[in-house]
Amino acid sequence: MSKYSPEETYETRESYAKPKLTIAKWFENIWYHYKWAIILGGAMVIFLVISLVQLVKNEEPDIFIMHVGPMYISPEASEKIEGTVGEMGYDCNGDDKVNVNVLDITINKFSNEAGDVVVNYDANNEGYSRFQTEIRIGDSIIYLLDEPYFNDCVKENILAPIDEIVDDAYMPDNIISGCGVKISDLKAYSLPGLSSVPENAILCLRKSPKEDEISYGRTQESWECNKAAFVNIIKYGN
């Protein structure tokens, strides 16, 4: 004789035959059968969340500064430079912020047998190549350059004459090759961040895209924004 009554359905009988799973057992069963799908799905969710956060935090700079020389500019000093120069510029990309990007390229020097301090281009090939790449296709417009790299830019004819972009009333003394001025000769050198730059670094501005023979990575609108910050650095305190 069957142990089930005639009134019982098939589903009712199945419930007798298979005890109900606890929540813990249910999760254990799901994990056993779908472990790799869960792991891959979780990894994708984490990746998407991280990408979204980075996208939200990613801020397009308005002002692009390049420092090239034997002295390393620390992240703390770079952050201070960004804050100082940011107050001298304006928002040109419409995000209601003035963001500044500082590119630091360190190229060491050494003393030769004659006691002269020179650049070892072989030993600093990576840094020098980065500098050469930046002046040809890079974003930087405001430059802070050690003398050898300033001279390279003068030879390439890529720097804007200061007397064409700064009013006579604010023209600095001791202009170098018509295009640069030592940062330490300016009152702005006392400001946070800029005071961390080597005193012999030469401040200069890239020619506008309309006048430059090398088609580099910036628009005319971006150049105008950087020019305004450059001029305000020179005018500061005068």
Side-chain angles (χ1 to χ4, degrees), residues 1 7 33-34 54 58 101 107 121 134 141 146 160 162 164 179 181 185 187 193 198 204 216-217 225 236:
M1 175 182 291
E7 292 79 13
H33 289 289
Y34 303 105
Q54 290 178 336
N58 185 31
N101 180 72
I107 304 178
Y121 292 103
E134 186 67 19
I141 298 176
D146 197 36
I162 290 181
E164 293 183 5
C179 302
V181 59
D185 285 345
K187 293 181 179 179
C204 46
Y216 63 107
C225 175
Y236 177 82

Side-chain angles (χ1 to χ4, degrees), residues 36-53:
W36 291 111
I38 293 171
I39 291 173
L40 290 173
M44 290 181 64
V45 169
I46 293 172
F47 173 77
L48 290 173
V49 169
I50 292 174
S51 298
L52 181 61
V53 170

Side-chain angles (χ1 to χ4, degrees), residues 60-65 82 85-93 98-102 139-142 218 222 225-230 233:
E60 175 67 22
D62 301 285
I63 300 169
F64 297 83
I65 300 173
E82 291 168 3
V85 178
E87 293 179 0
M88 298 183 177
Y90 62 85
D91 170 34
C92 70
N93 58 26
V98 181
N99 298 311
V100 180
N101 180 72
V102 177
D139 297 326
S140 302
I141 298 176
I142 298 174
R218 293 289 94 196
S222 178
C225 175
N226 281 258
K227 182 189 77 169
F230 175 86
I233 293 173

Side-chain angles (χ1 to χ4, degrees), residues 10-233:
Y10 175 78
E11 288 78 8
T12 305
R13 294 173 186 176
E14 284 294 304
S15 68
Y16 290 143
K18 297 180 179 179
K20 281 188 175 181
L21 293 175
T22 63
I23 293 177
K25 285 289 185 182
W26 183 83
F27 278 114
E28 183 179 337
N29 186 55
I30 292 294
W31 177 254
Y32 177 80
H33 289 289
Y34 303 105
K35 176 172 62 176
W36 291 111
I38 293 171
I39 291 173
L40 290 173
M44 290 181 64
V45 169
I46 293 172
F47 173 77
L48 290 173
V49 169
I50 292 174
S51 298
L52 181 61
V53 170
Q54 290 178 336
L55 182 63
V56 170
K57 288 185 175 181
N58 185 31
E59 298 175 337
E60 175 67 22
D62 301 285
I63 300 169
F64 297 83
I65 300 173
M66 176 176 65
H67 168 259
V68 185
M71 178 178 167
Y72 169 69
I73 303 296
S74 70
E76 293 78 12
S78 292
E79 186 174 346
K80 290 179 181 179
I81 293 172
E82 291 168 3
T84 294
V85 178
E87 293 179 0
M88 298 183 177
Y90 62 85
D91 170 34
C92 70
N93 58 26
D95 62 1
D96 297 323
K97 299 177 183 179
V98 181
N99 298 311
V100 180
N101 180 72
V102 177
L103 170 64
D104 179 56
I105 301 176
T106 304
I107 304 178
N108 296 317
K109 292 180 176 180
F110 77 102
S111 298
N112 61 17
E113 294 179 356
D116 299 321
V117 178
V118 296
V119 177
N120 186 341
Y121 292 103
D122 292 333
N124 293 279
N125 181 62
E126 182 177 349
Y128 191 69
S129 295
R130 181 71 180 87
F131 161 66
Q132 289 291 332
T133 300
E134 186 67 19
I135 65 175
R136 282 164 173 77
I137 60 173
D139 297 326
S140 302
I141 298 176
I142 298 174
Y143 295 166
L144 287 161
L145 305 175
D146 197 36
E147 186 177 8
Y149 317 109
F150 173 77
N151 291 337
D152 283 349
C153 291
V154 171
K155 290 176 183 176
E156 294 284 353
N157 193 30
I158 61 174
L159 300 178
I162 290 181
D163 61 3
E164 293 183 5
I165 53 179
V166 178
D167 293 339
D168 291 342
Y170 300 102
M171 194 66 61
D173 298 327
N174 304 320
I175 296 176
I176 304 170
S177 300
C179 302
V181 59
K182 285 186 179 180
I183 186 67
S184 57
D185 285 345
L186 302 174
K187 293 181 179 179
Y189 190 56
S190 63
L191 296 174
L194 292 178
S195 60
S196 302
V197 176
E199 62 181 12
N200 289 327
I202 300 171
L203 175 71
C204 46
L205 183 73
R206 184 67 183 255
K207 277 185 176 180
S208 74
K210 291 192 300 186
E211 299 175 349
D212 206 315
E213 295 177 4
I214 300 175
S215 179
Y216 63 107
R218 293 289 94 196
T219 63
Q220 184 67 24
E221 181 183 14
S222 178
W223 182 84
E224 294 288 348
C225 175
N226 281 258
K227 182 189 77 169
F230 175 86
V231 170
N232 285 332
I233 293 173

